[in-house]
Amino acid sequence: MKPNSGTLVINIMNGGKAEAYEGVYQCTARNERGAAISNNIVIRPSRSPLWTKEKLEPNQVREGDSLVLHCRPPVGLPPPIIFWMDNAFQRLPQSERVSQGLNGDLYFSNVQPEDTREDYICYARFNHTQTIQQKQPISVKVFSMDSLNDTIAANLSDTDIYGAKPVTERQPVLLTPTGSTSTKVELRGNVLLLECIAAGLPTPVIRWIKEGGELPANRTFFENFKKTLKIIDVSEADSGNYKCIARNILGSAHHVISVTVKAAPYWITAPRNLVLSPGEDGTLICRANGNPKPSISWLANGVPIAIAPEDPSRKVDGDTIIFSRVQERSSAVYQCNASNEYGYLLANAFVNVLAEPPRILTPANKLYQVIADSPALLDCAYFGSPKPEIEWFKGVKGSILRGNEYVFHDNGTLEIPVAQKDSTGTYTCVARNELGKIQNEVQLEVKDPTMIIKQPEYKVIQRYGQVSFECIIKHDSTLAPTVIWLKDNDELPDDERFLVGKDNLTIMNVTDKDDGTYTCIVNTTLDSVSASAVLTVVARPNPPFDLELTGQLERSVELSWIPGDENNSPITNFVIEYEDGLHESGVWHYQTEVPGTQTTVQLKLSPYVNYSFRVIAVNEIGRSQPSEPSEQYLTKSANPDENPSNVQGIGSEPDNLVITWESLKGFQSNGPGLQYKVSWRQKDVDDEWTSVIVANVSKYIVSGTPTFVPYEIKVQALNDLGYAPEPSEVIGHSGEDLPMVAPGNVQVHVINSTLAKVHWDPVPLKTVRGHLQGYKVYYWKVQSLSRRSRRHIEKKILTFRGNKTFGMLPGLEPYSSYKLNVRVVNGKGEGPASPDKVFRTPEGVPSSPSFLKITNPTLDSLTLEWGSPTHPNGVLTSYVLKFQPINNTHELGPLVEIRIPANESSLILKNLNYSTRYKFYFNAQTSVGSGSQITEEAVTIMDEAMASRQVDIATQGWFIGLMCAVALLILILLIVCFIRRNKGGKYPVKEKEDAHADPEIQPMKEDDGTFGEYSDAEDHKPLKKGSRTPSDRTVKKEDSDDSLVDYGEGVNGQFNEDGSFIGQYSGKKEKEPAEGNESSEAPSPVNAMNSFV
């Protein structure tokens, strides 16, 4: 025995025989409390005996008969594994006809000539001894009917009757088991094997049924070509009659096997250790079942209880021992033995009588950590006799825990089925019995669960692309998560293309092998979550292969192919192309296409073409590479099927007719010697067809034709085998010449100052001498009537298509003299011009004056200078000047209008207010009306005495304090407005807009009746008092001075449309340099002061 162990070691490596140790062994363990015994252990040496020598006669069998080759292996321990092989150590093939039985014999349902051989060898493999024993070879010779008849005929006279008959079919006969019924006993839990092997010709087919029931599902298997029925883990319910049926076309045979399932003893209730305190009661229960039912016997400390020392507290009642008011001397080990003829069970149970105060085995202050919403199990492993009572408290001064929210286990464990964050804290376990009391504290922490808040998503990516899977997590701050990525539930490939980031996985340069399921696993010490996504790698399909041509006919052939791999994107269609090796070798043409589900197509062919075909697969990603070309197929020659297309007849000269056509392609010729028969005759003239035959050209010129005469034309194809079908006729014309006459009766109707309408009579079609394309109108400006100065003449041309007899001339200049003429146009060119026609345009409104300057500002006057309009568009009658003051609150004063003679170019305005800004509106007029206006602003200068007084005031302390107070008030207002705007308040712009209405919609003075009829692109219109916005309530950024910025709300500052501060108006204006047409007033603190008053 091993030291400090109950293990017994038997070693025969250094000598001794295994047979010497054969027997039954049992181990007994004993101390002062009692004795326990083990199950019986049986030791038997393994055996692999040799085959007994025997003389084996050759087996001579008639073809079609059955045959059994017996193995009869030696009896070994454990039993050997049987298999049949030949001399070359190759396993003999088995089938429904030839198979090995459970006993190792080889069964032939019917023999065939190919079964003849001399090396049928049965082998027995003894795994425990690692040896293989071989039986002597068995010889089998099968006689066929033909050879048997020949042998009989050689030994009999002609008058004898042959005894051997031809091979006949036979109905099934069972080779094993024999008879119609048999029995089988199997133990519960084992594997049930039932076998039926039948002879017959043709080879019978075996079927199994259970009489009065069904074969058990999920536990039934068929082996050895259904000749063996296998049922695993059998139970008493599997007892019954099993029928095997062997059937062929001649009939059937059957055998019934009656199966009885017996059972070695098995536990229902095994005895369990008892810990009792003195004076307590208890029971040991030993219940077992089996077939037949086992007998129960008890032992005490390894001795049958009937002869063991008596114990008044013990009473045996069959399978139960009852203990009453035990004492410490009642401690012992009891054995229960359950036995029947198929085995036995043995169990030890220790009855320990103790008097112990409670002890808690769980370490103090043990920390438990769980995830919220999951169970929490707090251990309180205890020991004591009598058995202590367990109570749980939460916190130092908490009350005892009760209720459905807790589960109290018998082993002292407290279970909180759904732990929450408020379950965190200290829990106290108290164990008490009559001998004492003890308590222990444990700590519980409830953590937030780990979650994947953004899971990886299904991705479809093209080959060689880049893909990324996200795995963004949320976790308890006290837990350290680790993220692991798996591919198809295995580690990621060791490949630098896989980049694992903090919260993503990126795969570079994706290949087909990257296709699969990717899983993100997040682990903490308390929980684990995962999420998966599938990556599908798509690509263009692989090219089709194995192209085959079948059903070759003169005008058709069938092409079939095998599709290549679609690479995860279904093939939508196949494109079939062909090459004509006879006419265009190396050039592939589109033939047809078919749906992606089709792999054959019937192709129409043309004669005299050496075809090769290839197939291209198409999916959503793109087209595959072309397949390898098919074999070549040369079609026979034939007459052309079609004639040239796009036949035309157009003359290039007035006396010829050029006939053109599109030549047939090589495969359209249908045979060698392709030529064209060109025929023509004049239309509507009773002439015969004129024809020529040409080759290798697509044009023929007919000379000496009349000018622009219609011809009937046809072109027919022919080859060495004949003509194509009769072609259709087309109409062509001989060459054109220039038109002969000009349009007559040209008339011009002036509609307004910029538009005129011209009329003419059409020319006779015969004089056109070609296809009428339309008329051209040439027109040009001779001079401007307002300036009386000539300039370079620029002719303009308008073309009117078809047989039109009028047209409109737009874009004319007002008050000008024009000339025009009209010409007819055909395909050759233009005809002669009509006589020039003179017409004049009426006056129009002038353009704006070329400039307006305001100079020499004084206390009460300003000087205005201007330039005449660039385009007067008539005789100027006068200039109109309108102006109005702008006060310090940015409002407009009354509007004043002055008319100025047309010959003036300057004006001095007097009696103006000092230190006042004025806005001026200036435009020119003709008899038709007013032209566009130009605007300017200027300021009169300030009186020097007042300026000095204002400067003195500005330097006084009280004034500076007042200005500071005003500035502070404005700052507070700005803050209030800013807060209102952020809270959704609206700046009251509409009231100001209503106050500054458009002057156009205000009442006019009597002398302003025509004001506002015309305006320039900037819409600078004079505004009456209080008016600052156009009628559409918008302020244009281009308006140089008339803007909301200049006349915004407030004194010191303004707000734009969203309420933001944009600075002082007066400060902005005074800081601008005086240049151009702006006022030359210098900035001064006085002006700054005026902006506040």
Side-chain angles (χ1 to χ4, degrees):
M1 289 180 59
K2 284 188 175 180
N4 303 317
S5 168
T7 302
L8 176 64
V9 179
I10 299 174
N11 189 348
I12 60 172
M13 299 299 293
N14 298 324
K17 294 183 178 181
E19 289 80 0
Y21 298 97
E22 186 173 3
V24 178
Y25 293 78
Q26 188 175 46
C27 172
T28 301
R30 188 184 308 274
N31 65 11
E32 67 275 9
R33 290 284 186 172
I37 61 176
S38 71
N39 285 322
N40 290 338
I41 301 170
V42 179
I43 295 180
R44 298 179 62 188
S46 61
R47 297 182 178 89
S48 53
L50 299 176
W51 239 293
T52 57
K53 292 187 177 181
E54 55 182 330
K55 184 177 182 180
L56 300 176
E57 297 293 335
N59 292 275
Q60 297 186 0
V61 193
R62 185 175 61 174
E63 180 183 357
D65 288 350
S66 62
L67 175 64
V68 180
L69 300 182
H70 297 287
C71 180
R72 300 190 184 97
V75 178
L77 188 68
I81 297 173
I82 306 301
F83 52 93
W84 290 80
M85 301 178 72
D86 58 15
N87 277 332
F89 297 100
Q90 299 297 315
R91 285 187 178 269
L92 296 176
Q94 299 190 20
S95 62
E96 290 184 344
R97 185 178 64 87
V98 181
S99 61
Q100 177 182 314
L102 294 175
N103 62 356
D105 293 347
L106 191 63
Y107 292 86
F108 295 78
S109 294
N110 52 80
V111 296
Q112 302 296 328
E114 60 266 24
D115 296 329
T116 298
R117 62 190 308 154
E118 296 181 352
D119 55 352
Y120 286 93
I121 304 174
C122 180
Y123 287 86
R125 184 174 66 220
F126 297 91
N127 284 343
H128 201 72
T129 59
Q130 298 182 354
T131 58
I132 296 177
Q133 303 292 349
Q134 173 184 335
K135 186 181 178 73
Q136 290 180 322
I138 301 175
S139 173
V140 175
K141 184 174 183 181
V142 179
F143 292 97
S144 65
M145 291 301 98
D146 292 340
S147 62
L148 191 58
N149 286 337
D150 291 343
T151 303
I152 295 174
N155 295 290
L156 297 176
S157 64
D158 294 338
T159 59
D160 292 328
I161 300 175
Y162 290 179
K165 298 181 181 179
V167 176
T168 58
E169 295 178 338
R170 290 178 287 106
Q171 68 180 20
V173 176
L174 287 173
L175 297 176
T176 183
T178 58
S180 59
T181 62
S182 60
T183 60
K184 173 78 171 180
V185 175
E186 190 58 76
L187 290 182
R188 179 180 183 270
N190 287 355
V191 176
L192 174 64
L193 294 174
L194 304 179
E195 180 180 57
C196 273
I197 301 177
L201 188 66
T203 303
V205 176
I206 305 297
R207 186 168 67 92
W208 291 89
I209 61 173
K210 183 180 181 183
E211 294 182 344
E214 299 290 335
L215 295 175
N218 302 324
R219 295 190 294 116
T220 301
F221 303 92
F222 298 100
E223 297 178 346
N224 198 19
F225 310 99
K226 289 194 175 183
K227 298 175 185 179
T228 301
L229 171 64
K230 177 180 178 181
I231 301 177
I232 63 174
D233 193 22
V234 295
S235 65
E236 290 85 343
D238 295 321
S239 297
N241 293 330
Y242 292 81
K243 179 188 286 187
C244 68
I245 303 170
R247 187 184 303 275
N248 66 10
I249 58 175
L250 298 182
S252 65
H254 68 270
H255 183 92
V256 176
I257 304 174
S258 180
V259 175
T260 301
V261 178
K262 299 290 187 178
Y266 56 91
W267 289 118
I268 296 176
T269 303
R272 301 176 64 181
N273 294 338
L274 274 179
V275 177
L276 301 174
S277 61
E280 281 190 325
D281 301 336
T283 58
L284 283 181
I285 299 174
C286 176
R287 290 177 184 162
N289 202 358
N291 187 8
K293 189 170 183 62
S295 61
I296 303 295
S297 61
W298 287 95
L299 295 89
N301 295 325
V303 177
I305 202 165
I307 61 174
E310 290 188 8
D311 184 350
S313 65
R314 178 181 65 208
K315 178 182 178 182
V316 178
D317 184 8
D319 58 6
T320 304
I321 299 179
I322 303 171
F323 297 95
S324 302
R325 301 183 61 82
V326 295
Q327 301 301 318
E328 288 194 35
R329 65 175 179 273
S330 300
S331 296
V333 179
Y334 291 87
Q335 291 82 33
C336 173
N337 186 304
S339 305
N340 67 8
E341 60 186 281
Y342 298 107
Y344 78 96
L345 295 173
L346 180 67
N348 291 279
F350 179 36
V351 177
N352 191 7
V353 181
L354 290 174
E356 290 284 341
R359 283 184 289 163
I360 294 179
L361 308 179
T362 301
N365 292 315
K366 184 175 181 180
L367 176 62
Y368 293 89
Q369 294 179 326
V370 298
I371 296 297
D373 298 325
S374 62
L377 296 173
L378 309 182
D379 292 335
C380 183
Y382 65 90
F383 179 77
S385 183
K387 181 180 179 181
E389 293 181 0
I390 303 297
E391 293 177 334
W392 281 92
F393 300 84
K394 183 179 180 185
V396 179
K397 298 182 180 180
S399 59
I400 187 170
L401 299 181
R402 293 187 178 90
N404 296 331
E405 56 184 310
Y406 302 102
V407 178
F408 302 96
H409 293 273
D410 290 341
N411 63 354
T413 297
L414 170 65
E415 179 180 354
I416 305 175
V418 183
Q420 302 296 332
K421 293 288 285 185
D422 58 4
S423 302
T424 298
T426 301
Y427 290 80
T428 302
C429 165
V430 178
R432 61 165 55 91
N433 66 10
E434 59 190 39
L435 301 178
K437 166 187 169 184
I438 192 170
Q439 67 181 39
N440 186 39
E441 292 182 353
V442 295
Q443 308 296 325
L444 174 63
E445 292 181 357
V446 181
K447 308 290 187 178
D448 290 326
T450 305
M451 295 184 293
I452 299 178
I453 59 177
K454 187 166 186 182
Q455 300 184 354
E457 298 176 347
Y458 172 73
K459 296 291 180 70
V460 177
I461 190 70
Q462 291 191 31
R463 186 187 295 163
Y464 309 125
Q466 176 179 325
V467 67
S468 182
F469 291 106
E470 287 188 295
C471 184
I472 300 177
I473 63 174
K474 179 181 178 183
H475 61 91
D476 192 284
S477 59
T478 63
L479 299 178
T482 58
V483 180
I484 301 173
W485 286 90
L486 302 179
K487 178 181 182 296
D488 296 330
N489 295 323
D490 204 350
E491 293 183 358
L492 290 178
D494 185 12
D495 193 329
E496 61 184 10
R497 297 181 301 108
F498 288 77
L499 306 177
V500 178
K502 177 183 177 183
D503 52 14
N504 62 64
L505 168 66
T506 301
I507 308 175
M508 313 288 291
N509 196 23
V510 173
T511 64
D512 291 339
K513 65 181 181 181
D514 300 329
D515 198 278
T517 300
Y518 289 83
T519 303
C520 165
I521 301 177
V522 184
N523 294 318
T524 67
T525 55
L526 299 181
D527 63 349
S528 176
V529 291
S530 65
S532 299
V534 174
L535 173 63
T536 300
V537 181
V538 297
R540 296 185 300 171
N542 293 348
F545 56 95
D546 282 357
L547 273 64
E548 183 179 7
L549 296 177
T550 56
Q552 290 91 339
L553 300 174
E554 290 186 1
R555 293 296 183 101
S556 69
V557 69
E558 184 176 275
L559 173 66
S560 61
W561 61 90
I562 298 176
D565 193 337
E566 62 184 19
N567 292 325
N568 292 326
S569 181
I571 295 174
T572 56
N573 57 291
F574 293 99
V575 177
I576 293 89
E577 296 180 340
Y578 73 91
E579 175 197 33
D580 181 2
L582 194 62
H583 303 98
E584 292 181 296
S585 180
V587 179
W588 291 90
H589 301 275
Y590 174 84
Q591 172 87 9
T592 187
E593 60 184 82
V594 297
T597 57
Q598 189 172 326
T599 58
T600 61
V601 62
Q602 194 77 19
L603 301 175
K604 294 182 179 180
L605 307 180
S606 297
Y608 196 53
V609 176
N610 192 14
Y611 282 101
S612 289
F613 299 97
R614 69 183 187 185
V615 183
I616 299 171
V618 182
N619 63 11
E620 289 186 357
I621 310 305
R623 296 162 62 101
S624 72
Q625 292 295 320
S627 67
E628 292 295 324
S630 69
E631 60 181 303
Q632 292 186 331
Y633 177 49
L634 177 63
T635 55
K636 295 181 180 179
S637 302
N639 292 8
D641 293 327
E642 50 190 313
N643 289 301
S645 60
N646 197 23
V647 177
Q648 294 181 340
I650 302 174
S652 60
E653 298 295 338
D655 61 349
N656 74 4
L657 172 66
V658 179
I659 302 173
T660 60
W661 62 90
E662 287 188 10
S663 300
L664 298 181
K665 296 182 179 179
F667 73 91
Q668 294 175 309
S669 65
N670 287 5
L674 177 65
Q675 295 178 300
Y676 302 100
K677 180 181 178 181
V678 184
S679 304
W680 69 93
R681 68 180 179 185
Q682 190 170 337
K683 190 176 184 297
D684 300 329
V685 178
D686 192 15
D687 282 349
E688 295 293 329
W689 288 94
T690 303
S691 300
V692 296
I693 294 178
V694 297
N696 300 322
V697 295
S698 59
K699 180 173 72 172
Y700 183 78
I701 300 176
V702 180
S703 303
T705 62
T707 300
F708 198 65
V709 173
Y711 279 85
E712 295 176 322
I713 305 167
K714 58 183 180 180
V715 180
Q716 186 178 22
L718 67 152
N719 61 18
D720 292 349
L721 279 78
Y723 284 87
E726 185 66 21
S728 57
E729 301 171 5
V730 298
I731 303 300
H733 288 81
S734 56
E736 299 180 66
D737 207 346
L738 293 176
M740 299 173 62
V741 299
N745 193 22
V746 177
Q747 300 292 331
V748 179
H749 172 61
V750 178
I751 297 175
N752 57 36
S753 60
T754 61
L755 181 65
K757 184 177 184 180
V758 58
H759 293 262
W760 62 87
D761 291 339
V763 300
L765 289 179
K766 289 186 178 180
T767 66
V768 177
R769 300 200 294 178
H771 295 286
L772 175 63
Q773 294 187 356
Y775 294 87
K776 285 187 178 181
V777 177
Y778 287 74
Y779 65 101
W780 60 96
K781 179 180 175 181
V782 178
Q783 66 178 10
S784 173
L785 299 178
S786 61
R787 302 193 180 201
R788 304 295 180 183
S789 60
R790 293 184 176 274
R791 61 177 184 174
H792 173 68
I793 296 175
E794 180 183 355
K795 289 188 177 182
K796 298 181 180 179
I797 304 173
L798 286 177
T799 301
F800 301 93
R801 299 290 179 185
N803 198 19
K804 202 170 184 181
T805 59
F806 68 91
M808 306 298 289
L809 305 180
L812 303 178
E813 294 185 14
Y815 205 50
S816 300
S817 176
Y818 281 88
K819 287 185 179 181
L820 65 76
N821 59 52
V822 185
R823 311 177 192 192
V824 67
V825 182
N826 66 10
K828 188 72 173 178
E830 301 175 1
S834 67
D836 291 347
K837 189 75 174 178
V838 180
F839 66 96
R840 293 181 177 180
T841 55
E843 288 188 76
V845 297
S847 63
S848 63
S850 58
F851 67 88
L852 174 63
K853 293 193 299 183
I854 303 174
T855 60
N856 301 326
T858 67
L859 286 174
D860 61 350
S861 68
L862 293 169
T863 300
L864 281 70
E865 296 178 358
W866 62 86
S868 59
T870 306
H871 300 287
N873 295 337
V875 178
L876 296 181
T877 60
S878 65
Y879 291 101
V880 177
L881 173 66
K882 299 178 183 179
F883 64 95
Q884 57 191 151
I886 305 172
N887 64 17
N888 290 331
T889 59
H890 315 304
E891 294 182 347
L892 298 176
L895 188 68
V896 179
E897 179 175 325
I898 301 175
R899 290 189 178 273
I900 306 169
N903 57 355
E904 297 291 338
S905 62
S906 65
L907 175 68
I908 298 176
L909 283 178
K910 297 182 178 181
N911 299 321
L912 301 176
N913 296 328
Y914 67 88
S915 185
T916 302
R917 179 176 291 275
Y918 288 88
K919 186 163 187 175
F920 298 91
Y921 312 89
F922 192 69
N923 64 283
Q925 288 187 336
T926 65
S927 59
V928 175
S930 298
S932 302
Q933 66 182 9
I934 185 171
T935 65
E936 267 300 346
E937 289 188 11
V939 182
T940 57
I941 66 175
M942 182 179 296
D943 179 66
E944 294 180 2
M946 180 176 290
S948 64
R949 287 199 303 271
Q950 291 175 342
V951 169
D952 291 340
I953 293 173
T955 59
Q956 297 300 312
W958 64 268
F959 181 76
I960 295 174
L962 176 62
M963 292 301 100
C964 292
V966 171
L968 179 60
L969 179 61
I970 292 174
L971 179 60
I972 294 173
L973 290 174
L974 288 176
I975 294 173
V976 172
C977 292
F978 179 76
I979 294 173
R980 287 186 60 194
R981 182 171 74 93
N982 286 346
K983 292 184 177 179
K986 296 184 178 178
Y987 186 76
V989 175
K990 188 175 188 311
E991 289 82 359
K992 182 60 64 178
E993 290 178 346
D994 293 338
H996 296 166
D998 195 321
E1000 285 189 6
I1001 62 175
Q1002 295 187 10
M1004 291 288 183
K1005 297 180 181 179
E1006 291 182 359
D1007 57 350
D1008 292 340
T1010 60
F1011 174 65
E1013 181 179 355
Y1014 295 97
S1015 63
D1016 62 5
E1018 296 181 351
D1019 199 20
H1020 291 307
K1021 297 182 180 179
L1023 304 177
K1024 295 205 171 182
K1025 183 176 181 180
S1027 176
R1028 291 304 296 163
T1029 57
S1031 60
D1032 62 356
R1033 297 203 174 275
T1034 61
V1035 179
K1036 295 187 178 180
K1037 187 177 180 181
E1038 297 83 53
D1039 292 351
S1040 60
D1041 293 292
D1042 185 17
S1043 68
L1044 184 62
V1045 173
D1046 296 336
Y1047 302 100
E1049 191 146 33
V1051 179
N1052 280 348
Q1054 298 82 38
F1055 292 82
N1056 59 19
E1057 292 178 357
D1058 65 356
S1060 59
F1061 181 63
I1062 59 174
Q1064 293 183 0
Y1065 165 72
S1066 61
K1068 172 180 179 292
K1069 286 297 180 183
E1070 297 305 321
K1071 291 180 182 178
E1072 291 179 354
E1075 60 181 10
N1077 294 332
E1078 294 291 335
S1079 170
S1080 60
E1081 179 189 13
S1084 71
V1086 176
N1087 289 333
M1089 180 192 71
N1090 286 337
S1091 66
F1092 287 100
V1093 297

